[in-house]
Amino acid sequence: MTATPAADSFDVAVVGGGPAGATAATHLARQGRSVLLLDRPGEIKPCGGAIPPQLIREFEIPQELLCARVHAARMVSPADRHVDMPIEGGYVGMVDRDVFDDWLRRRAAEAGAELREGTFRALSEDDGGGVRLTYLEGRGGSGAERHEVRARLVVGADGANSAVGRQAVPGSKEIPHVAAYHEIIEPPASAEGACFDPQRADVYYRGSLSPDFYGWVFPHGEQVSVGVGSAVKGFSLRQATAELRAAAGLEGTRTLRREGAPLPLYPLKRWDNGRNVVLTGDAAGTVAPASGEGIYYAMAGGQRTAEAVDTALHSGDAKALAQARKAFMREHGQVFRVLGVMQRFWYTNDDRRERFVRICADPDVQSLTWDAYMNKRLVRAKPLTHARIFFKNIAHLTGLAPA
């Protein structure tokens, strides 16, 4: 393998073409920056695929990308208690990640980013203060052609366990993860024997399915995503998924594909190296605790990262890269802290999971939950409702309320 004699030059090289990387590349290209968007082909992240209305509005997502619309969620307790949470006057969109991510990358290319398929290999400092980025064509491997580009700045959007982060950003190796696994299956031919509704997302809180997270059954139009997640080493995700399919009456449906990947649990304390590299999306840890929601936060993080990169390019001051994390945490940090506390407490054992599902039956909880999820903000305008929820939570926490 031989290097390209003269390296191409860009203002920014974005490594990873998922929602975070594609969003960052689109914004920077629209600002007139020369952008390389490098994506490893054939990667489909295991993902429930839920996107809230705020994402559709904020990032101008066309309705034809939605493969299903969810009008309710069902919480299933360890004792098989079912609590339905209808969405009044709205819906949550569902997307297939292969189709959705491809559309986002094509939008970045239409904005002016240069899209290349390749596998990232290494970063090195350039004499002019920028970065030399080496990648192999396609999925790499023996015989793959080696290329090198120069960039003033690099955005690492290459997922959890980011190779860019491991090479360039201190602390990125220590981020904790949940291992996620799902199976894409055909929907049941009939509802008989199956606990499945093509307009409802089902979430299973049961220790045998996940000792520290949850299992899900999410409709995707002509497909269904069935999966689980756990950070417990040695826990069999495939066995748990088989148990989940049996519990949902889906064990007889045909499996189309299987996918697995790590999901970060908390945002990194630092996203940049202070010079020329900044992380975003899963690489920066922007997956919400408790819920595992990642698409909206990946795109929001990609937007804030692009704004910080554009500022750094304009000013020549690498300190501006730190604004990516600061802006994101200012907008979403409180939500992440609240969800982190929820996961650490309610997902500990089946008794607590049972109480958690019972809380979900409360109309006040449902109203505020959907308002916060659909519009991506903590609701502060209903103090009496918050007070009622506070005392109800105290009752459940202390065991005064029946399970």
Side-chain angles (χ1 to χ4, degrees):
M1 295 184 295
T2 59
T4 304
D8 296 331
S9 295
F10 298 88
D11 290 326
V12 187
V14 180
V15 180
T23 300
T26 299
H27 178 83
L28 287 163
R30 287 174 174 173
Q31 300 306 305
R33 303 298 181 180
S34 59
V35 181
L36 168 65
L37 178 57
L38 180 68
D39 186 65
R40 190 169 189 252
E43 298 290 313
I44 305 175
K45 180 184 174 182
C47 175
I51 61 172
Q54 179 60 30
L55 184 153
I56 296 171
R57 294 190 297 264
E58 189 174 335
F59 296 101
E60 300 177 326
I61 303 302
Q63 291 291 314
E64 55 265 29
L65 284 180
L66 304 184
C67 60
R69 290 169 175 79
V70 165
H71 295 276
R74 169 169 287 182
M75 307 300 181
V76 183
S77 79
D80 207 34
R81 181 202 305 271
H82 293 182
V83 171
D84 286 351
M85 301 176 61
I87 303 172
E88 301 296 340
Y91 65 88
V92 173
M94 306 299 292
V95 295
D96 289 328
R97 286 295 300 270
D98 53 346
V99 176
F100 183 70
D101 290 14
D102 180 66
W103 184 87
L104 292 175
R105 288 189 289 271
R106 285 189 285 109
R107 180 163 70 174
E110 290 168 1
E114 182 171 335
L115 177 60
R116 298 184 187 178
E117 291 189 341
T119 300
F120 168 79
R121 277 294 176 262
L123 297 176
S124 61
E125 297 289 331
D126 187 72
D127 293 340
V131 183
R132 287 179 175 264
L133 185 152
T134 303
Y135 70 93
L136 302 179
E137 278 195 353
R139 293 182 62 83
S142 60
E145 187 173 353
R146 178 177 176 269
H147 294 267
E148 185 178 88
V149 299
R150 291 189 180 96
R152 294 171 64 187
L153 297 173
V154 170
V155 175
D158 50 338
N161 292 325
S162 162
V164 172
R166 291 198 303 272
Q167 289 191 28
V169 180
S172 61
K173 298 179 182 179
E174 289 75 38
I175 186 170
H177 299 93
V178 163
Y181 169 81
H182 78 163
E183 296 176 357
I184 298 297
I185 67 174
E186 290 183 341
S190 68
E192 185 176 354
C195 302
F196 175 75
D197 184 329
Q199 293 187 342
R200 189 187 67 220
D202 295 351
V203 184
Y204 285 72
Y205 297 97
R206 187 177 299 167
S208 62
L209 298 178
S210 174
D212 55 343
F213 206 56
Y214 62 81
W216 66 86
V217 177
F218 288 173
H220 279 229
E222 297 180 356
Q223 301 175 348
V224 182
S225 167
V226 184
V228 298
S230 177
V232 176
K233 293 183 178 179
F235 183 78
S236 176
L237 299 177
R238 288 203 175 201
Q239 182 176 331
T241 302
E243 179 183 335
L244 174 57
R245 288 178 66 167
L250 300 171
E251 67 267 49
T253 53
R254 188 164 71 99
T255 301
L256 303 177
R257 67 177 191 264
R258 298 176 173 88
E259 297 158 352
L263 296 180
L265 284 174
Y266 309 108
L268 284 172
K269 294 182 178 179
R270 180 174 179 175
W271 292 8
D272 68 283
N273 67 350
R275 299 188 307 281
N276 44 34
V277 177
V278 60
L279 305 178
T280 194
D282 282 13
T286 57
V287 173
S291 69
E293 183 189 0
I295 300 178
Y296 174 79
Y297 294 113
M299 296 180 74
Q303 181 75 15
R304 296 296 168 259
T305 298
E307 292 165 357
V309 167
D310 191 53
T311 299
L313 289 170
H314 179 75
S315 66
D317 187 356
K319 292 180 181 178
L321 296 177
Q323 292 302 316
R325 186 185 189 280
K326 289 180 181 177
F328 181 89
M329 295 304 291
R330 184 165 56 245
E331 294 173 356
H332 306 293
Q334 187 175 357
V335 171
F336 274 58
R337 286 188 289 272
V338 169
L339 292 176
V341 171
M342 283 180 56
Q343 180 172 340
R344 288 190 293 272
F345 182 84
W346 290 115
Y347 295 4
T348 303
N349 56 56
D350 276 355
D351 178 66
R352 290 184 179 180
R353 293 185 186 96
E354 199 72 40
R355 293 178 180 276
F356 173 71
V357 172
R358 182 177 178 83
I359 288 176
C360 292
D362 186 275
D364 290 333
V365 171
Q366 293 191 12
S367 174
L368 288 183
T369 297
W370 283 129
D371 198 354
Y373 173 79
M374 304 278 275
N375 300 302
K376 287 293 164 263
R377 59 187 176 88
L378 288 178
V379 184
R380 297 183 176 87
K382 301 177 181 178
L384 292 179
T385 303
H386 280 285
R388 287 197 299 270
I389 291 175
F390 173 77
F391 287 113
K392 290 170 186 175
N393 271 281
I394 291 297
H396 283 277
L397 289 168
T398 59
L400 295 176

